[in-house]
Amino acid sequence: MKENKEVDLNYLYDAINKIFQSKNCKILENIILRSTVPVGTCFDLEKYVKNKFSKEVNFVMCPERTIEGKAIEELSTNPQIIGTSSIKAASLCFKLFNVLTDNIYISNNPAFAELAKLGDNTFRDMSFAYSNFIAFTAQELNIVGSDLIEVMNNNYIRNNLAKPSPGVGGPCLSKDAFIFKKGLDNCQLSVNNDFILNGRIQDDYVIRSLSQKIIDHCSSLKINRISIAGLAFKGFPETSDIRDSSTLKLIDNLSPSLKFNIYDPLIKDSTIIDKYNLISFEEFCQNSAVLIIMTNNSIIKSQDWNKALLKLPKRALIIDGWGVLERL
């Protein structure tokens, strides 16, 4: 994804060009795609190879659908989807992925598998966005959104709403809706393509709303420092990955005059630690107008928050994005 949310497939074409520089390309019959791509990409790549290299190659879509932090485990438990118009390619891919699992689905259309991968991630993005919409609506009515969602789910088999969160980030959910829309736009289908961006629109609203609350509160207390717990894009399964994290989006939306105390014990990269002023939990919360908890990894949840909260000045704003403080 480019900064303007345009989809950039140049890396894919570069990889294919390099493959065809190999002396072994003459015996090449199939190329498997695992990454998320717009619908229609396999078809476009087959035409590209045929036109540029005068060779017919089957592009097979076998989407990788593991969750970060449990990828090795899920490789052998998740169903594998194979999409190709070639019976021979489907047979070869079945033998390959059958090493991992017996749960394999084969379609004679690569778009089937392309759409499955995009549909998975965009559904999750929309699901989280809907929970956040319910929570923000409840807050406007002086109702605790997390309590409302818990009651909506409790012993009601048709509901499985996610817990509300301070945004939906990461290298997959934050981009796949845009990739989804791009492919549908290119296919010129008579469907409402804008619908699939609703999750992204809601996520932008969440970040803007949180940013404004923080800015206003810092101004009212005349304190220009905030404490943020969590820099990585998620807490469970635990990760140190900060790509497209909600915390980074929040920081980008805040005033440049604000200073940050950031605590994330899983971040070990000294470059990131220095850049974002990551500090110990003992130093955390000092002289901050706002405390916002953006990640719920187990170490953050297990800290002595009673002691940390005492370091906040009177009238400090606390935004507990993940219910970490519920046990206090």
Side-chain angles (χ1 to χ4, degrees), residues 233-246:
F233 80 87
K234 67 174 182 178
F236 182 80
E238 294 181 354
T239 182
S240 60
D241 192 345
I242 68 169
R243 290 176 295 168
D244 284 313
S245 82
S246 296

Side-chain angles (χ1 to χ4, degrees), residues 260-326:
F260 307 100
N261 292 338
I262 299 180
Y263 171 69
D264 193 323
L266 296 181
I267 307 294
K268 306 299 184 183
D269 188 321
S270 58
T271 304
I272 297 174
I273 291 172
D274 292 341
K275 181 177 180 180
Y276 294 104
N277 187 35
L278 267 67
I279 61 176
S280 68
F281 192 76
E282 287 69 32
E283 302 171 89
F284 194 58
C285 289
Q286 291 180 348
N287 304 317
S288 295
V290 178
L291 163 65
I292 180 166
I293 300 176
M294 295 290 290
T295 308
N296 63 337
N297 70 53
S298 61
I299 302 177
I300 287 178
K301 292 174 73 172
S302 67
Q303 294 295 345
D304 187 350
W305 282 99
N306 277 321
K307 185 181 292 186
L309 295 176
L310 292 174
K311 297 176 183 178
L312 292 170
K314 291 181 179 180
R315 294 181 52 239
L317 173 65
I318 299 173
I319 303 173
D320 183 7
W322 284 102
V324 170
L325 306 180
E326 286 178 355

Side-chain angles (χ1 to χ4, degrees), residues 20-292:
F20 277 88
Q21 291 171 9
S22 166
K23 63 181 179 181
N24 294 324
C25 70
K26 292 180 181 179
I27 61 172
L28 178 67
E29 295 182 2
N30 309 291
I31 294 177
I32 297 174
L33 300 185
R34 292 285 273 172
S35 294
T36 312
V37 293
V39 174
T41 296
C42 285
F43 179 69
D44 291 341
L45 292 177
E46 287 178 355
K47 288 195 300 182
Y48 173 79
V49 168
K50 186 174 183 178
N51 292 335
K52 184 167 184 177
F53 301 105
S54 300
K55 185 172 177 60
E56 292 193 2
V57 172
N58 301 308
F59 279 83
V60 187
M61 184 63 183
C62 304
E64 177 272 304
R65 299 192 296 160
T66 59
I67 189 171
E68 187 167 332
K70 294 181 69 176
I72 301 301
E73 176 187 335
E74 290 195 351
L75 275 174
S76 60
T77 57
N78 283 354
Q80 297 291 329
I81 301 173
I82 298 170
T84 175
S85 57
S86 164
I87 295 176
K88 185 177 180 181
S91 177
L92 287 169
C93 289
F94 179 86
K95 291 178 182 178
L96 173 64
F97 290 105
N98 192 225
V99 174
L100 297 173
T101 180
D102 294 329
N103 197 352
I104 298 173
Y105 185 90
I106 299 176
S107 169
N108 63 359
N109 188 343
F112 184 100
E114 292 167 342
L115 187 58
K117 170 65 172 178
L118 292 163
D120 278 340
N121 281 355
T122 303
F123 170 72
R124 293 183 68 226
D125 187 36
M126 284 185 167
S127 298
F128 297 144
Y130 182 73
S131 293
N132 287 341
F133 172 77
I134 292 292
F136 270 78
T137 302
Q139 183 174 316
E140 291 294 311
L141 297 169
N142 293 319
I143 297 168
V144 179
S146 56
D147 290 350
L148 174 64
I149 288 174
E150 184 177 348
V151 170
M152 289 169 66
N153 286 336
N154 189 34
N155 293 323
Y156 193 65
I157 60 174
R158 285 181 289 280
N159 276 359
N160 187 25
L161 276 72
K163 286 187 175 182
S165 66
V168 181
C172 292
L173 300 193
S174 61
K175 66 173 175 56
D176 282 9
F178 295 104
I179 296 175
F180 199 171
K181 185 177 185 303
K182 177 66 173 178
L184 295 184
D185 288 345
N186 291 342
C187 292
Q188 297 182 332
L189 304 178
S190 57
V191 295
N192 178 16
N193 297 350
D194 293 332
F195 167 75
I196 54 181
L197 295 182
N198 284 345
R200 294 292 84 213
I201 294 169
Q202 174 63 20
D203 194 63
D204 288 342
Y205 170 81
V206 169
I207 296 299
R208 288 197 310 271
S209 177
L210 291 175
S211 300
Q212 194 58 55
K213 287 181 186 296
I214 290 169
I215 291 169
D216 291 345
H217 203 77
C218 287
S219 177
S220 69
L221 294 189
K222 295 183 170 54
I223 299 175
N224 70 339
R225 183 175 295 276
I226 72 169
S227 290
I228 304 176
L231 187 62
F233 80 87
K234 67 174 182 178
F236 182 80
E238 294 181 354
T239 182
S240 60
D241 192 345
I242 68 169
R243 290 176 295 168
D244 284 313
S245 82
S246 296
T247 300
L248 294 184
K249 288 185 270 188
L250 181 70
I251 290 172
D252 287 343
N253 271 266
L254 291 169
S255 169
S257 64
L258 291 179
K259 294 181 171 54
F260 307 100
N261 292 338
I262 299 180
Y263 171 69
D264 193 323
L266 296 181
I267 307 294
K268 306 299 184 183
D269 188 321
S270 58
T271 304
I272 297 174
I273 291 172
D274 292 341
K275 181 177 180 180
Y276 294 104
N277 187 35
L278 267 67
I279 61 176
S280 68
F281 192 76
E282 287 69 32
E283 302 171 89
F284 194 58
C285 289
Q286 291 180 348
N287 304 317
S288 295
V290 178
L291 163 65
I292 180 166

